[in-house]
Amino acid sequence: MMNNTTRPQGGKKSGIFFLGSVLILCGGLLLLHTLTNTTDTHQHHATEKEEAPKEHETHNVGLQNTLVGFIGDTTLGTTTKAVLQLLADEQVHVVSHQGDLDYEDKASSIGSLINSHVRAHKIKTETGDELKRTFLLAIGNAETPPQATSHKKYTKLLSQHVYPPTQCTKMSNYGTASVCTHGRVLFIHLAPAMTSSATDNAANRRLISSAAKQYPLSSHPWRVCALHMSIASKRLHNKGSAVQTVFDSCLGIGALIVSAHDHIYARSAVVNSYSAPAQKRIVGDATSSGFRLCPGMSLNVVSGLGGKSVGSGKAFWGSGWWHKVYAEQGKYGALLCDFGEDVMHCKFKLTDGETVDQFQLLRCDS
């Protein structure tokens, strides 16, 4: 009897022990599963945090700095070839030509020169890719009668040199009234006083105003107006009002105004008017830090040392508001501007490597 009684008690204890072991095992598995899920969750969040900068970097690819070379008054000779080679060596994304291409009415020849010295030298990106260089134009008097038969043969030929990521909305008016963007930069190329249609003051005002509205400062903080005539030489063709209208309208949107015509390099003060007396226009010097290029402010830079010849610059001396004037015989070069996210750095560099001027401006809304 005792043995029969003892066996059931021993079996009960074994059953209890077995059940406890199972519970402990299940609890351990549950704890392990919880810890594994927690670890996986932490690893998932960590992976997301690590990948976030990559997404940001990818987003910035299309918004890298835009490098622009501004030239004007060029020829088909060796001096201009050296200037174009400088632009290729500097790896500029966009070449902006402010008119007077060759003085010989040879559009096909200047087209060949652009092909060999601008298009052939492609832009190398950080990823190893190669991009084609865009060529933008504002025609000068050398592309119009009587110096040339028609500007249209130039504009038709050179308009073929606009490549992504540059985008233009007025390609039919390339050379006379085009609106283009590249990265953060808005380009408006005009030709007041060059052709009758491009001298329509009301049309030019509307074009400049609508371009600024279509591409606001939030997305395109840098605005460039390019035309052949400078504010100092506007009276030479007795169409000063057309040039003045463009200058006043471009100042209204806070644009850097780049021109040529005068075979020199010159940079004005930062001004709040192109109509007021010279001394009353001045806001400051772009070589000083802290000036923001906002609507109602501007400066005019003349980049006319593209290779044709070197002028005297008499129209720029003595006015008090041209802060830099450079004209040395046999010296040619280009204005090189680096348009960054918040700062625009510019310099005028000669083909021999010397930098004769440099300045910077801050974006308006930074």
Side-chain angles (χ1 to χ4, degrees), residues 80-347:
T80 291
K81 290 177 181 178
V83 173
L84 295 178
Q85 186 61 50
L86 169 65
L87 299 179
D89 292 342
E90 291 290 330
Q91 287 283 290
V92 300
H93 304 135
V94 178
V95 176
S96 175
H97 198 297
Q98 281 63 245
D100 284 6
L101 287 157
D102 65 328
Y103 298 87
E104 297 182 41
D105 196 20
K106 294 181 179 179
S108 59
S109 296
I110 198 69
S112 298
L113 189 64
I114 299 303
N115 275 327
S116 60
H117 285 79
V118 176
R119 184 180 178 183
H121 298 271
K122 296 180 181 179
I123 306 161
K124 296 180 181 179
T125 66
E126 294 179 356
T127 59
D129 297 327
E130 290 187 339
L131 300 175
K132 294 179 181 178
R133 186 172 288 108
T134 284
F135 191 94
L136 300 178
L137 172 68
I139 64 168
N141 45 288
E143 287 77 65
T144 58
Q147 295 192 51
T149 53
S150 173
H151 71 277
K152 292 183 179 180
K153 60 183 181 182
Y154 287 95
T155 57
K156 182 179 179 180
L157 183 65
L158 296 177
S159 63
Q160 300 174 23
H161 294 281
V162 176
Y163 306 104
T166 305
Q167 296 181 336
C168 297
T169 60
K170 296 285 186 180
M171 283 303 292
S172 60
N173 295 324
Y174 177 92
T176 58
S178 65
V179 175
C180 303
T181 61
H182 187 111
R184 301 182 180 92
V185 188
L186 166 63
F187 296 94
I188 304 174
H189 283 70
L190 298 164
M194 298 299 112
T195 68
S196 57
S197 60
T199 308
D200 187 329
N201 290 348
N204 285 337
R205 278 193 293 264
R206 286 194 301 269
L207 178 67
I208 295 167
S209 176
S210 63
K213 291 177 181 177
Q214 184 177 358
Y215 303 101
L217 289 171
S218 57
S219 60
H220 294 79
W222 306 115
R223 282 117 178 237
V224 174
C225 285
L227 69 161
H228 185 59
M229 305 289 286
S230 72
I231 194 66
S233 59
K234 66 176 184 177
R235 296 180 181 85
L236 296 182
H237 289 264
N238 299 317
K239 294 183 179 179
S241 64
V243 177
Q244 186 71 52
T245 295
V246 169
F247 269 80
D248 291 341
S249 298
C250 289
L251 179 141
I253 66 169
L256 165 68
I257 304 178
V258 186
S259 49
H261 187 76
D262 304 278
H263 298 186
I264 65 168
Y265 168 77
R267 173 179 52 81
S268 78
V270 180
V271 299
N272 57 17
S273 172
Y274 284 112
S275 303
Q279 293 301 326
K280 293 184 179 181
R281 305 175 186 177
I282 299 174
V283 176
D285 192 331
T287 57
S288 303
S289 60
F291 283 104
R292 299 186 184 278
L293 198 57
C294 293
M297 295 175 60
S298 179
L299 72 158
N300 182 200
V301 180
V302 180
S303 182
L305 292 176
K308 172 60 176 175
S309 62
V310 179
S312 64
K314 289 182 180 179
F316 298 83
W317 296 109
S319 65
W321 69 289
W322 288 97
H323 283 187
K324 179 68 177 183
V325 180
Y326 175 84
E328 185 174 341
Q329 293 300 317
K331 299 288 187 177
Y332 301 98
L335 174 66
L336 305 170
C337 290
D338 182 351
F339 295 91
E341 182 176 1
D342 298 313
V343 185
M344 171 185 68
H345 296 280
C346 295
K347 62 183 178 181

